Amino acid sequence: MKLRFTFLLMLSMVSTAFGDPLVTPFSGITGQMGYRNGIGDDAIFNDPMGLARDSVGNLYICDARNHVIRKVTPGGLVTTLAGKPGVAGAVDGVGRRARFRFPVDIAVAPNGVLYVADSGNHCIRVITTDGAVSTLAGDLGSANDIDSDTGLKFSVVSPQLDGKGPAARFNSPSGIAYAPGDFLYVSDTANHTIRKITLHGDVTTLAGKPVSWGATDGTGIDARFNTPMGLCIGADGNLYIADSMNHAIRCMTPKAAVSTFAGHASEPGCIPGPRREARFCNPTDVTPHPEGGFIICESFGNALFRLNADGMVSLFAGGSTSPTEPSSKTLSQPHSVVCDEQGNVYVADTFNQEVRLIIEKFETSISVVNGASQVTITWDSLPGRTYQLQIFRTQGWENSSLPPVDAVGEQTSTTFPMPAEKAGIYRILLLGF
């Protein structure tokens, strides 16, 4: 067992205590790239990027340089759903017979079907619940019809952009979101546009003009983006877009009216503050927070920002524009984020080769029960995870006489006899996998 989270408390305290957000490994090994399935740090990734989470807590990961799609259960078990590790290609098929080329984002529908922005193949792929991979839109066998210099010159696209299925064309799509109306939003990154795809494969361009980048607010073709990446649907029904090279978060209404929601296109930086005064370097993803607002993934700044419902932006985790070596204490080029219902954040920490868990809210309370003969400690918990009560003694931390507690809900408690020494230092420890 590895220790993942520590929360200190004094037995003599009776008030509620809060902890700061804490970054902890969830899967993978810091700084070690490769491929291996397993539990927790027995698993290995090679540049994990896109993340999605389903209704029962499974995570789905675009393991980009392994060219595969991975699944992580709530208990931390990593398996491979589709693709052959280390082998890029453009093949539909079931499980290992399918091939991807640098998949970078993923979305999950309520029925469990996955949609993948297969960036290197310039296509949108579908993975059914039985592992069968097919191509929804884009010409899977025609990666060469995108000019190899487009990523540098932003000057060439296939002439037929919109269309159905293989008749449509994309250029390095790298953001995808499932909409409640049974369609997909896609950031067509190197085309600097936002596209809509029905589940039957009909593709239309909603906003932006192909290969015309800029920072103009406007409606439809009058709007301009610069390398849009991750996107999400907010509680208000609008689409929010990490417009990476514009250093901003953009907002698009259902009628394709685009405005700048946070940041400023001509002023990059990593500066908290009111949303229009805050500054970002290269935001790569944005995801809703269950308490309102968003978590923003700032790749160049090695940071996550919290944009509250009141419009204030604050540093949530990480934060350094200096080059960083792989480290368990810092983020390194994080690419994608997703929240659970309790506000805990999972991040694809790409250059650290890990999926990290950030526990934002960890509230505890202490009460005296049974005529002051016992003490009950209650804390916010992650269902399916295991916790251990410890006490600090002269030789250091020791497990209490109580066995570990398996959490089944969002709050967990343990009760033990009132110690003879009323003041002591205890902690609730979240055990690893």
mmCIF file of all heavy atoms in Angstrom, residues 277-294:
data_model
loop_
_atom_site.group_PDB
_atom_site.id
_atom_site.type_symbol
_atom_site.label_atom_id
_atom_site.label_comp_id
_atom_site.label_asym_id
_atom_site.label_seq_id
_atom_site.Cartn_x
_atom_site.Cartn_y
_atom_site.Cartn_z
ATOM 1 N N GLU A 277 -9.682 39.914 -16.723
ATOM 2 C CA GLU A 277 -8.358 40.430 -16.373
ATOM 3 C C GLU A 277 -7.352 39.303 -16.144
ATOM 4 O O GLU A 277 -6.142 39.554 -16.112
ATOM 5 C CB GLU A 277 -8.453 41.306 -15.132
ATOM 6 C CG GLU A 277 -9.328 42.538 -15.328
ATOM 7 C CD GLU A 277 -9.502 43.336 -14.055
ATOM 8 O OE1 GLU A 277 -8.682 43.154 -13.127
ATOM 9 O OE2 GLU A 277 -10.464 44.118 -13.971
ATOM 10 N N ALA A 278 -7.840 38.077 -15.950
ATOM 11 C CA ALA A 278 -6.942 36.928 -15.795
ATOM 12 C C ALA A 278 -6.217 36.678 -17.111
ATOM 13 O O ALA A 278 -6.685 37.047 -18.188
ATOM 14 C CB ALA A 278 -7.729 35.698 -15.377
ATOM 15 N N ARG A 279 -5.055 36.050 -17.017
ATOM 16 C CA ARG A 279 -4.261 35.776 -18.204
ATOM 17 C C ARG A 279 -3.838 34.307 -18.227
ATOM 18 O O ARG A 279 -3.502 33.727 -17.187
ATOM 19 C CB ARG A 279 -3.016 36.677 -18.248
ATOM 20 C CG ARG A 279 -3.341 38.160 -18.360
ATOM 21 C CD ARG A 279 -3.983 38.482 -19.700
ATOM 22 N NE ARG A 279 -4.337 39.883 -19.860
ATOM 23 C CZ ARG A 279 -5.561 40.378 -19.653
ATOM 24 N NH1 ARG A 279 -6.548 39.580 -19.260
ATOM 25 N NH2 ARG A 279 -5.792 41.662 -19.841
ATOM 26 N N PHE A 280 -3.874 33.727 -19.422
ATOM 27 C CA PHE A 280 -3.456 32.353 -19.647
ATOM 28 C C PHE A 280 -2.375 32.324 -20.716
ATOM 29 O O PHE A 280 -2.295 33.230 -21.546
ATOM 30 C CB PHE A 280 -4.643 31.494 -20.093
ATOM 31 C CG PHE A 280 -5.829 31.595 -19.186
ATOM 32 C CD1 PHE A 280 -6.915 32.401 -19.519
ATOM 33 C CD2 PHE A 280 -5.871 30.904 -17.995
ATOM 34 C CE1 PHE A 280 -8.010 32.508 -18.681
ATOM 35 C CE2 PHE A 280 -6.960 31.002 -17.147
ATOM 36 C CZ PHE A 280 -8.036 31.806 -17.499
ATOM 37 N N CYS A 281 -1.564 31.271 -20.689
ATOM 38 C CA CYS A 281 -0.540 31.106 -21.729
ATOM 39 C C CYS A 281 -1.104 30.270 -22.872
ATOM 40 O O CYS A 281 -1.404 30.788 -23.937
ATOM 41 C CB CYS A 281 0.705 30.461 -21.133
ATOM 42 S SG CYS A 281 1.592 31.518 -19.966
ATOM 43 N N ASN A 282 -1.249 28.981 -22.635
ATOM 44 C CA ASN A 282 -1.786 28.084 -23.654
ATOM 45 C C ASN A 282 -2.794 27.139 -23.010
ATOM 46 O O ASN A 282 -2.475 25.974 -22.735
ATOM 47 C CB ASN A 282 -0.669 27.286 -24.329
ATOM 48 C CG ASN A 282 0.242 28.160 -25.150
ATOM 49 O OD1 ASN A 282 1.390 28.376 -24.789
ATOM 50 N ND2 ASN A 282 -0.258 28.678 -26.254
ATOM 51 N N PRO A 283 -4.003 27.587 -22.759
ATOM 52 C CA PRO A 283 -5.006 26.683 -22.193
ATOM 53 C C PRO A 283 -5.340 25.572 -23.181
ATOM 54 O O PRO A 283 -5.527 25.823 -24.376
ATOM 55 C CB PRO A 283 -6.211 27.596 -21.939
ATOM 56 C CG PRO A 283 -6.041 28.725 -22.909
ATOM 57 C CD PRO A 283 -4.560 28.929 -23.038
ATOM 58 N N THR A 284 -5.378 24.338 -22.701
ATOM 59 C CA THR A 284 -5.636 23.199 -23.578
ATOM 60 C C THR A 284 -6.952 22.500 -23.282
ATOM 61 O O THR A 284 -7.398 21.674 -24.091
ATOM 62 C CB THR A 284 -4.505 22.165 -23.475
ATOM 63 O OG1 THR A 284 -4.321 21.809 -22.092
ATOM 64 C CG2 THR A 284 -3.196 22.723 -24.033
ATOM 65 N N ASP A 285 -7.579 22.801 -22.149
ATOM 66 C CA ASP A 285 -8.852 22.153 -21.841
ATOM 67 C C ASP A 285 -9.610 22.979 -20.822
ATOM 68 O O ASP A 285 -9.022 23.758 -20.057
ATOM 69 C CB ASP A 285 -8.625 20.739 -21.300
ATOM 70 C CG ASP A 285 -9.869 19.863 -21.401
ATOM 71 O OD1 ASP A 285 -10.798 20.238 -22.150
ATOM 72 O OD2 ASP A 285 -9.918 18.813 -20.740
ATOM 73 N N VAL A 286 -10.930 22.804 -20.814
ATOM 74 C CA VAL A 286 -11.810 23.447 -19.853
ATOM 75 C C VAL A 286 -12.924 22.460 -19.546
ATOM 76 O O VAL A 286 -13.432 21.780 -20.441
ATOM 77 C CB VAL A 286 -12.359 24.787 -20.403
ATOM 78 C CG1 VAL A 286 -13.054 24.603 -21.743
ATOM 79 C CG2 VAL A 286 -13.276 25.480 -19.395
ATOM 80 N N THR A 287 -13.281 22.326 -18.270
ATOM 81 C CA THR A 287 -14.308 21.368 -17.872
ATOM 82 C C THR A 287 -15.173 21.966 -16.778
ATOM 83 O O THR A 287 -14.677 22.738 -15.949
ATOM 84 C CB THR A 287 -13.657 20.053 -17.392
ATOM 85 O OG1 THR A 287 -14.638 19.013 -17.353
ATOM 86 C CG2 THR A 287 -13.050 20.199 -16.011
ATOM 87 N N PRO A 288 -16.471 21.663 -16.749
ATOM 88 C CA PRO A 288 -17.344 22.231 -15.716
ATOM 89 C C PRO A 288 -16.994 21.715 -14.332
ATOM 90 O O PRO A 288 -16.574 20.565 -14.156
ATOM 91 C CB PRO A 288 -18.745 21.774 -16.129
ATOM 92 C CG PRO A 288 -18.625 21.341 -17.546
ATOM 93 C CD PRO A 288 -17.227 20.849 -17.713
ATOM 94 N N HIS A 289 -17.181 22.568 -13.338
ATOM 95 C CA HIS A 289 -17.036 22.176 -11.940
ATOM 96 C C HIS A 289 -18.434 22.011 -11.348
ATOM 97 O O HIS A 289 -19.317 22.820 -11.643
ATOM 98 C CB HIS A 289 -16.249 23.248 -11.174
ATOM 99 C CG HIS A 289 -15.815 22.793 -9.812
ATOM 100 N ND1 HIS A 289 -16.670 22.760 -8.728
ATOM 101 C CD2 HIS A 289 -14.615 22.346 -9.356
ATOM 102 C CE1 HIS A 289 -16.018 22.321 -7.663
ATOM 103 N NE2 HIS A 289 -14.767 22.060 -8.025
ATOM 104 N N PRO A 290 -18.684 20.990 -10.536
ATOM 105 C CA PRO A 290 -20.041 20.755 -10.037
ATOM 106 C C PRO A 290 -20.598 21.876 -9.162
ATOM 107 O O PRO A 290 -21.810 21.970 -8.998
ATOM 108 C CB PRO A 290 -19.907 19.448 -9.239
ATOM 109 C CG PRO A 290 -18.461 19.317 -8.941
ATOM 110 C CD PRO A 290 -17.743 19.949 -10.095
ATOM 111 N N GLU A 291 -19.728 22.728 -8.615
ATOM 112 C CA GLU A 291 -20.205 23.844 -7.813
ATOM 113 C C GLU A 291 -20.344 25.116 -8.636
ATOM 114 O O GLU A 291 -20.554 26.201 -8.095
ATOM 115 C CB GLU A 291 -19.263 24.073 -6.628
ATOM 116 C CG GLU A 291 -19.251 22.909 -5.649
ATOM 117 C CD GLU A 291 -18.295 23.116 -4.490
ATOM 118 O OE1 GLU A 291 -17.605 24.165 -4.464
ATOM 119 O OE2 GLU A 291 -18.230 22.236 -3.614
ATOM 120 N N GLY A 292 -20.248 24.988 -9.948
ATOM 121 C CA GLY A 292 -20.338 26.139 -10.840
ATOM 122 C C GLY A 292 -18.961 26.552 -11.327
ATOM 123 O O GLY A 292 -17.940 26.317 -10.684
ATOM 124 N N GLY A 293 -18.929 27.209 -12.483
ATOM 125 C CA GLY A 293 -17.661 27.618 -13.057
ATOM 126 C C GLY A 293 -16.927 26.458 -13.702
ATOM 127 O O GLY A 293 -17.536 25.432 -14.069
ATOM 128 N N PHE A 294 -15.609 26.592 -13.785
ATOM 129 C CA PHE A 294 -14.819 25.652 -14.576
ATOM 130 C C PHE A 294 -13.447 25.413 -13.949
ATOM 131 O O PHE A 294 -12.952 26.229 -13.179
ATOM 132 C CB PHE A 294 -14.601 26.199 -15.991
ATOM 133 C CG PHE A 294 -15.870 26.526 -16.725
ATOM 134 C CD1 PHE A 294 -16.421 27.801 -16.648
ATOM 135 C CD2 PHE A 294 -16.515 25.561 -17.476
ATOM 136 C CE1 PHE A 294 -17.599 28.104 -17.308
ATOM 137 C CE2 PHE A 294 -17.689 25.857 -18.144
ATOM 138 C CZ PHE A 294 -18.229 27.130 -18.066
#
